[in-house]
């Protein structure tokens, strides 16, 4: 960004005169958040985040903010415990889509341990890797209260704007219902960890229900 004008661009645009006209007569695409910043993206990120933050800072935030407080980026059970102990109303198990570290822990694998200890004490939200209704069902079965679907809805937004987002939600809803039907489950409340089998799970030899998903 902005797009580069190359020979291939010209050839492609020749078949789409309306797009070609818009491309030449409108301002170049840019990131609004970066338009007034002269440094690199890395410099901007470094200026926005303070690496010295600790859970004690969460105590301060809790003292000045009386609304719901949710902490995103939880990747260990210990951090989940600390977030709740320091006043978080909800925690989001997330590796931010692997953007920061592509070998970060998979939140779905962490979820069962967090749910076993903290279910009912805080809202448990799963982020990262939710690309289908089956993923949503797996997360709910393993103890999440709900999931985020950031990347999935963005695909719909890019493809069709508001209608694309609506269509994405419709597809996810249909897939969720179909997955539950195939598992023989009528209500979300009836989903249990027994309906999911994680690859590499040490309990792989445990007898599973007749209908279970392998992830």
């Amino acid at each position: 960004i902005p797009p580069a004008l190359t020979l291939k661009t010209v050839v492609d645009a020749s078949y789409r005169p309306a797009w070609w006209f818009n491309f030449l007569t409108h301002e170049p695409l840019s990131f609004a958040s970066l338009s007034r910043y002269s440094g690199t993206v890395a410099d901007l990120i470094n200026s926005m985040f303070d690496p010295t933050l600790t859970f004690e800072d969460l105590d301060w935030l809790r003292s000045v903010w009386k609304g719901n407080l949710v902490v995103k980026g939880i990747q260990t059970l210990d951090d989940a415990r600390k977030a709740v102990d320091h006043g978080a109303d909800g925690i989001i198990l997330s590796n931010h889509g692997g953007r920061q570290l592509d070998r970060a822990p998979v939140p779905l694998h962490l979820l069962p341990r967090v749910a076993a200890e903290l279910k009912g004490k805080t809202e448990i939200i799963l982020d990262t890797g939710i690309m289908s209704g089956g993923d949503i069902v797996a997360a709910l079965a393993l103890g999440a209260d709900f999931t985020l679907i950031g990347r999935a809805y963005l695909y719909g937004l890019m493809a069709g704007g508001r209608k694309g987002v609506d269509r994405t939600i419709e597809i996810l809803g249909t897939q969720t219902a179909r997955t539950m039907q195939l598992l023989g489950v009528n209500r979300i409340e009836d989903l249990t960890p027994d309906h999911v089998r994680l690859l590499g799970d040490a309990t792989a030899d445990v007898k599973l229900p007749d209908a279970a998903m392998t992830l």
Side-chain angles (χ1 to χ4, degrees), residues 108-154:
L108 192 69
H109 293 173
L110 172 64
L111 177 58
R113 287 180 289 152
V114 172
E117 183 166 330
L118 298 176
K119 186 74 171 178
K121 299 178 181 178
T122 188
E123 291 288 311
I124 301 174
I125 307 158
L126 187 86
D127 177 53
T128 303
I130 301 297
M131 297 298 294
S132 72
D135 296 329
I136 295 173
V137 171
L140 296 175
L142 291 175
D145 291 297
F146 61 93
T147 76
L148 303 184
I149 59 166
R151 193 170 299 182
Y153 103 83
L154 286 174

Side-chain angles (χ1 to χ4, degrees), residues 19-96:
W19 182 93
W20 178 241
F21 177 79
N22 288 335
F23 179 75
L24 292 177
T25 58
H26 287 73
E27 291 292 325
L29 295 175
S30 63
F31 287 112
S33 58
L34 300 177
S35 60
R36 298 181 181 180
Y37 188 77
S38 59
T40 66
V41 174
D43 291 336
L44 177 61
I45 295 298
N46 289 335
S47 69
M48 293 172 59
F49 296 99
D50 183 355
T52 66
L53 286 175
T54 68
F55 280 100
E56 281 64 39
D57 293 293
L58 188 59
D59 291 333
W60 168 81
L61 187 58
R62 177 75 285 175
S63 71
V64 298
W65 173 251
K66 303 308 178 184
N68 290 330
L69 181 60
V70 178
V71 177
K72 183 183 179 185
I74 300 297
Q75 297 190 56
T76 68
L77 177 57
D78 187 50
D79 279 351
R81 293 190 192 108
K82 289 179 179 178
V84 175
D85 290 343
H86 286 268
D89 299 298
I91 54 175
I92 303 177
L93 310 186
S94 172
N95 62 20
H96 308 295

